[in-house]
Amino acid sequence: MLNHSQSHSLFSEAKQVIPGGVNSPARAFGAVGGEPIVIERGEGAYLIDVDGNRYLDYVQSWGPMILGHAHPIVVEAIQTALLKGTSFGTPTEAENKLAKLIINLVPSIQKIRFVNSGTEATMSAIRLARGFTGRTKIIKFIGNYHGHVDSLLVAAGSSAATLGVPNSPGVTQGTIADTILLPYNNVDAIKKIFHDLGKEIAAVIVEPVAGNMGCVIGSSNFLYELRHLTQTNGAILIFDEVLSGFRAGKGGAGQRFSITPDITTLGKVIGGGLPVGAYGGKTEIMDALLPVGNVFQAGTLSGNPLAMAAGIATIQTLQELKAFASLERKMSTLAEGLEEEAKSLEIPVAIEQIGSMMTLFFLAEHKKDISEKYHVSSTTFNGSMLDRSTATSSTGGCFANKITNWETAARCNTKRYASFFWNMLERGFYFPCSQFEVFFMSTAITESEIQQTINAAKEVFKILQKQQ
Ligand SMILES: *Cc1c(COP(=O)(O)O)cnc(C)c1O
């Protein structure tokens, strides 16, 4: 057993001074039981904890660390900015630079505003959509998470789902009265609501690739229908790409699916590990913000020079490395390897992968049902632009693609996931501490480390098999 004694003592101390010992509940290991490990530092693909244990990191600070930890170019960019001062509350050139980099890569964004978190981005995007349209109602999807914005904190996946808090105390009925909840990937439901209430809807906010009920990919039908219905009804379509930005495609899911939302929210990767969020879209809409228009949104530290420097260095490095294709290829290797090993031991799994995002879902169904129910061909999945048919054909094409919404995700075997998590951790592999989160690939992880991961998973699957 790994020694976690320092982690244990620091976490005990943390619990005395910080609620639950954590500054964000997903970190508390609540969904897998036990105590979180306390990290001392990161080095490329690895995390090192306070007891000196090393872990290959597939969590990457929940998404941002796409270049791995303490990447020398990012560190240097932050150091250079740091020496010039940490905040001025004035325009700086770095803001223009990061804005232009993002605008060049994300086709739907003509103008962009920087904020300090993904939560701020979605909160501001909703306000802007309401201000711009003069309407009140917003549509959100069950299992999608948009940060801890009051009006969006309903059926919000991941930590909220894991902890069984669909509506947090403190979020009033009044606050969510204008939030309409619909099932994800369900075309009929959105058609019906637009038929009934179309002209009252200010905005639809959606994760085009969901990452907060595990990785669940929006079907092209669903996303095209959303674009069509919002357009014809004068509603704003918001793609929340805080997680999928620079992950699901090199310009995010919108770019990958060739769908142009009105507003896109970003975060995570664009801050290179510093606190940044952003929202951007059509000039006409973005110019409704003060001081051009009249919708208020502000921030003392917005566009912070250190954060901009980290973001610029991260995105430029991704571009210089032409990293996207290799990130995706490496993630496919891991996905295929894990699936093959699980299948050979008759452990029913579904793997959802796009770009550098992936979730291994442990299905709850009985073994005997697997071959019929889960060995479906990838053609049943309507994702023509997703390269899945090519990705799967090399290994015989047995990706299940059965996780399409929160209802199907929630049926997974979370106990088995917890066992997978702890057994992998013990072998030096850090995966998310919940079935309903995404595994991430970084440029720092090598092919041989992916093979080591698959080999370790094989051992772990054998243990899981005995636990059945
Ligand atoms: C993480 C996340 C957010 C919230 O971002 P924070 O920086 O944690 O506030 C919003 N939307 C999605 C899709 C996310 O994954």
Side-chain angles (χ1 to χ4, degrees):
M1 286 291 281
L2 295 180
N3 174 18
H4 293 303
S5 58
Q6 283 301 316
S7 270
H8 175 71
S9 101
L10 285 170
F11 188 64
S12 304
E13 180 184 74
K15 282 190 288 189
Q16 304 299 313
V17 288
I18 297 166
V22 290
N23 283 305
S24 194
R27 299 175 193 173
F29 279 26
V32 292
E35 275 186 0
I37 48 173
V38 178
I39 295 302
E40 199 230 346
R41 66 183 199 279
E43 270 177 23
Y46 291 88
L47 289 173
I48 296 103
D49 73 15
V50 288
D51 291 288
N53 303 304
R54 285 168 71 85
Y55 309 91
L56 188 62
D57 182 16
Y58 287 106
V59 182
Q60 296 161 30
S61 189
W62 307 89
M65 310 316 299
I66 197 166
L67 298 176
H69 297 283
H71 190 284
I73 295 173
V74 179
V75 170
E76 196 194 326
I78 297 170
Q79 281 173 334
T80 304
L82 174 63
L83 295 176
K84 295 183 189 169
T86 50
S87 185
F88 314 116
T90 69
T92 58
E93 188 180 355
E95 292 159 275
N96 303 0
K97 236 177 161 174
L98 185 56
K100 287 200 290 194
L101 277 171
I102 293 171
I103 288 167
N104 279 335
L105 283 164
V106 184
S108 64
I109 298 185
Q110 296 170 344
K111 281 193 178 177
I112 189 164
R113 258 281 163 90
F114 292 109
V115 291
N116 304 295
S117 69
T119 296
E120 263 189 72
T122 58
M123 177 186 78
S124 307
I126 293 288
R127 183 186 305 140
L128 175 59
R130 283 173 164 156
F132 183 80
T133 58
R135 301 175 181 179
T136 52
K137 291 195 190 310
I138 50 178
I139 292 174
K140 102 166 263 293
F141 297 94
I142 297 166
N144 280 194
Y145 176 68
H146 305 293
H148 62 97
V149 179
D150 280 25
S151 63
L152 300 174
L153 207 53
V154 226
S158 76
S159 48
T162 302
L163 300 171
V165 189
N167 297 300
S168 171
V171 175
T172 64
Q173 278 309 116
T175 315
I176 57 166
D178 289 317
T179 305
I180 298 166
L181 269 180
L182 295 180
Y184 192 68
N185 271 338
N186 185 322
V187 173
D188 292 339
I190 54 174
K191 278 187 175 160
K192 182 172 187 319
I193 207 82
F194 270 98
H195 177 266
D196 294 348
L197 294 171
K199 302 293 176 212
E200 292 172 52
I201 293 163
V204 174
I205 185 164
V206 64
E207 290 184 71
V209 169
N212 292 284
M213 46 181 160
C215 181
V216 179
I217 300 162
S219 76
S220 48
N221 273 353
F222 173 65
L223 296 171
Y224 280 114
E225 199 61 47
L226 283 180
R227 179 63 289 187
H228 171 70
L229 288 169
T230 46
Q231 206 145 35
T232 50
N233 285 277
I236 302 289
L237 179 60
I238 303 169
F239 273 8
D240 181 357
E241 298 225 47
V242 170
L243 194 144
S244 59
F246 304 96
R247 286 279 186 189
K250 67 177 187 296
Q255 176 263 334
R256 182 166 189 146
F257 298 156
S258 303
I259 299 178
T260 307
D262 301 298
I263 300 175
T264 297
T265 56
L266 294 169
K268 298 193 170 111
V269 166
I270 65 159
L274 270 73
V276 182
Y279 61 115
K282 298 192 171 113
T283 297
E284 179 201 4
I285 299 171
M286 294 307 291
D287 277 348
L289 289 169
L290 270 162
V292 189
N294 57 8
V295 178
F296 188 80
Q297 181 268 310
T300 301
L301 295 174
S302 291
N304 175 265
L306 299 193
M308 295 296 105
I312 293 163
T314 298
I315 292 177
Q316 275 179 343
T317 305
L318 282 174
Q319 280 185 303
E320 274 157 29
L321 295 174
K322 298 198 186 347
F324 191 76
S326 79
L327 282 168
E328 172 148 335
R329 199 183 53 245
K330 286 191 292 183
M331 198 45 130
S332 295
T333 304
L334 179 63
E336 288 166 18
L338 293 179
E339 197 193 34
E340 209 167 286
E341 297 302 343
K343 247 173 39 192
S344 74
L345 295 166
E346 299 199 324
I347 292 180
V349 296
I351 290 194
E352 296 294 339
Q353 184 230 330
I354 182 169
S356 61
M357 308 166 55
M358 185 254 278
T359 298
L360 168 67
F361 291 97
F362 288 97
L363 301 171
E365 268 80 356
H366 191 271
K367 273 209 264 185
K368 265 204 291 205
D369 297 332
I370 323 168
S371 54
E372 294 206 332
K373 286 176 78 177
Y374 297 103
H375 289 194
V376 294
S377 98
S378 51
T379 52
T380 57
F381 174 66
N382 189 357
S384 50
M385 69 289 281
L386 300 183
D387 312 322
R388 274 308 280 279
S389 45
T390 48
T392 55
S393 57
S394 57
T395 52
C398 281
F399 279 98
N401 289 319
K402 289 292 280 187
I403 307 296
T404 55
N405 54 25
W406 174 240
E407 206 190 340
T408 47
R411 282 203 292 265
C412 284
N413 188 340
T414 53
K415 247 178 89 178
R416 179 173 281 169
Y417 182 85
S419 184
F420 170 79
F421 167 84
W422 282 112
N423 279 290
M424 289 304 285
L425 190 80
E426 189 60 27
R427 286 163 179 74
F429 300 88
Y430 191 69
F431 282 97
C433 56
S434 162
Q435 170 73 88
F436 307 118
E437 300 284 356
V438 172
F439 306 0
F440 294 105
M441 187 55 65
S442 77
T443 57
I445 297 175
T446 63
E447 298 281 352
S448 85
E449 286 160 340
I450 292 167
Q451 286 312 320
Q452 290 165 22
T453 311
I454 295 167
N455 294 341
K458 185 178 183 174
E459 287 175 33
V460 169
F461 290 151
K462 282 181 187 155
I463 297 171
L464 301 187
Q465 195 190 31
K466 295 201 189 89
Q467 289 171 344
Q468 281 182 54

